[in-house]
Amino acid sequence: MGLISIISFVAIVLAIWLYAFKRSRGVNMDSSEGLFLGGRSLTGITIAGSVVMTNLSTEQIVGQNGQSYETGMEVMGWEVTSAIAIVALALIFLPKYLKYGVSTVTDFIELRFDTTTKRIASLLFIFTYVVSFLPVVLYSGSLVFNQIFAVDELLNVSPLVAISIISGIIGIVGLFYLLIGGLRLSAYSDTVYGIGLLIIGLAIPVIGLYVLGNNSFIGGFETIQQNTPEKLNSFGALDSEMVPWPTLFLGLFFNNLFFWCTNQMIVQKVLAGRDLKEGQKGALYVGFFKIFGALFLVFPGIIAFNMFGDGVNPSDNAYPMLVTAVLPEWAFGIFAAIIFGAILSSFVGALNATTTLLTLDFYKPLKKNVSDRQVARAGKTFTVVLGLMTVVIAPLISFAPAGLFHVVQQFNGLYSMPLLAIILLGFYSRYATPFAAKFTFVFHIVVYGSIVLFTDIHYLYVLSVIFFVDLLLIWGISRLQNKKEFTFPEVEVKVDMTPWKHSKWVSVLIVLVVIFTYWLFSPWGIANAM
């Protein structure tokens, strides 16, 4: 990056922080609800920006484009089909969470089952965030940032030192975000970064097609359709290592339901809405974003394949190479600021979710007669400790054995399906028992872990079957064990429960756009030779 790019990068990051800080000053940071839930004051646009940027990281941007470079549009399954799960969040899960007055997903588990089941789920969330998500976001994000912008050459240091410096800066900035403004400050910041990511993210494939077509956008697309029509097919083969097409309706769909409807890191942002209407708006805005996100999270990898051939190794270099090849030099500072924001937002979102669970599920119940101010203070302390710990761990991932990232991605499967089954039966079964829930957690971890470790079966196929096994196990054990119906206790509803009047037809539109997108990227659409 040149001097102008560096100046524009710093100016954009500072300007976004100042804007977010100004908008977040109305929240009481000495209360737990102000720190962890933004005072339940977020609007639809702000919720959407926070959710999108918490979900997106540079690892995802670079990794999915690297996968599409190898296999094609089938990778878009992770993005496009998630829109249907987000519809379920808006219409089913969110109204029930708010109806029962909970602040976390695990609060609902405690309300419906018991404290032990809640803490099992909470520990699994915390372990996953601290061991895999937070360090990987910092390390992979810093790695990509250094790859694209050559920070090591700029500072004349080794790549590992550059990655450590970038990780440290992002970690410290993230801590200031949470300590000064909590969830609300990061949400407003995420909204601006999200708009920027959408604009510049879409600009990369647009410019890429223009360059590929020798100054013709249409010519670039025709080149792809003529040379690599098979890469435009979104339906993966039965034995695909990425997304086998049957799992679109089973394992991948169930995984999306877990991630978008029961994952604390995501649900916490929607629960921070000022009422049900704003929460539903925010969720459904995210649904549209996820569909069109495939255009910059997946499609650029196919452009890179047509531009550079099949010689890019590793494939994760495809997106950085495309960016440096097509982006004008004057725009590097802007792009750097947006990438920095993507790493920062994912880190802050996961760290906030982790400290929320640690504070509300463990510290507060174990400390008798603790004031809300003390709870907030403890949350800030946990934020600093966990944040600094992650900054130290992140560079060490470079010494991990090959293939660790793939194993980490599969780790969520150890608890995602039983957690989803427990919450669904918690909603709809009056007989589901705490013992059945705990037994199913143990059963699933043993069986799923054994299959993934000792067989070559794709884990999405495993999830396709074992989710139904988990459901039947909880239901069957509960009916054998208990004949007494469960009744939810009376709880305080904390927000207005009037739904968004457009939520149903917007949800139908999202589902139709998902179907159309899959038709478009298929042999019946554009995935055929001209």
Side-chain angles (χ1 to χ4, degrees), residues 294-351:
L295 296 178
F296 62 86
L297 290 171
V298 181
F299 190 66
I302 299 172
I303 299 175
F305 184 89
N306 281 268
M307 189 174 291
F308 307 123
D310 59 359
V312 177
N313 187 29
S315 60
D316 281 351
N317 287 334
Y319 187 74
M321 287 176 62
L322 180 66
V323 169
T324 53
V326 306
L327 199 66
E329 187 174 345
W330 61 264
F332 264 64
I334 301 172
F335 187 75
I338 299 302
I339 291 294
F340 180 87
I343 308 167
L344 178 67
S345 299
S346 296
F347 174 75
V348 168
L351 182 59

Side-chain angles (χ1 to χ4, degrees), residues 213-413:
N214 293 318
N215 300 328
S216 169
F217 177 83
I218 300 297
F221 183 77
E222 289 176 346
T223 298
I224 292 175
Q225 198 171 23
Q226 289 172 355
N227 296 342
T228 57
E230 72 284 351
K231 286 191 176 293
L232 296 174
N233 186 8
S234 59
F235 291 91
L238 286 171
D239 59 350
S240 169
E241 293 183 1
M242 300 296 179
V243 185
W245 72 262
T247 65
L248 291 172
F249 317 102
L250 295 167
L252 183 59
F253 175 65
F254 301 149
N255 187 80
N256 282 335
L257 279 178
F258 154 75
F259 184 84
W260 293 100
C261 302
T262 68
N263 185 352
Q264 176 64 25
M265 185 174 68
I266 298 298
V267 174
Q268 182 171 339
K269 311 298 183 298
V270 188
L271 290 176
R274 67 187 182 196
D275 50 37
L276 174 59
K277 180 176 72 174
E278 294 301 323
Q280 289 180 323
K281 282 183 185 179
L284 294 175
Y285 294 160
V286 175
F288 281 112
F289 185 95
K290 294 302 288 182
I291 298 172
F292 294 105
L295 296 178
F296 62 86
L297 290 171
V298 181
F299 190 66
I302 299 172
I303 299 175
F305 184 89
N306 281 268
M307 189 174 291
F308 307 123
D310 59 359
V312 177
N313 187 29
S315 60
D316 281 351
N317 287 334
Y319 187 74
M321 287 176 62
L322 180 66
V323 169
T324 53
V326 306
L327 199 66
E329 187 174 345
W330 61 264
F332 264 64
I334 301 172
F335 187 75
I338 299 302
I339 291 294
F340 180 87
I343 308 167
L344 178 67
S345 299
S346 296
F347 174 75
V348 168
L351 182 59
N352 192 41
T354 307
T355 54
T356 300
L357 292 171
L358 192 58
T359 306
L360 299 185
D361 289 358
F362 293 95
Y363 173 80
K364 186 177 179 180
L366 296 176
K367 287 283 188 178
K368 303 299 181 183
N369 301 319
V370 65
S371 68
D372 192 52
R373 188 184 184 92
Q374 289 173 308
V375 171
R377 191 180 303 139
K380 293 177 182 178
T381 302
F382 290 139
T383 298
V384 172
V385 172
L386 290 177
L388 293 178
M389 185 188 307
T390 304
V391 169
V392 172
I393 294 173
L396 302 179
I397 292 179
S398 62
F399 300 105
L404 176 63
F405 292 155
H406 185 63
V407 174
V408 166
Q409 287 176 348
Q410 293 182 353
F411 178 82
N412 281 351

Side-chain angles (χ1 to χ4, degrees), residues 104-119:
T104 65
V105 172
T106 52
D107 276 351
F108 172 78
I109 295 175
E110 181 177 41
L111 182 69
R112 177 58 185 82
F113 295 96
D114 63 8
T115 301
T116 303
T117 308
K118 166 188 178 176
R119 286 182 178 163

Side-chain angles (χ1 to χ4, degrees), residues 1 5-10 12-13 57-63 136-155 159 161-170 193 316-317 319-321 323-324 331-344:
M1 285 196 297
S5 295
I6 294 173
I7 293 172
S8 61
F9 166 77
V10 174
I12 291 170
V13 171
S57 66
T58 47
E59 180 193 18
Q60 188 178 355
I61 297 170
V62 171
V136 167
V137 162
L138 273 188
Y139 171 75
S140 61
S142 302
L143 181 68
V144 171
F145 196 91
N146 185 57
Q147 244 179 337
I148 298 176
F149 304 109
V151 176
D152 54 342
E153 296 177 10
L154 187 68
L155 301 178
V161 172
I163 290 168
S164 301
I165 292 171
I166 298 167
S167 297
I169 292 172
I170 294 171
Y193 279 124
D316 281 351
N317 287 334
Y319 187 74
M321 287 176 62
V323 169
T324 53
F332 264 64
I334 301 172
F335 187 75
I338 299 302
I339 291 294
F340 180 87
I343 308 167
L344 178 67

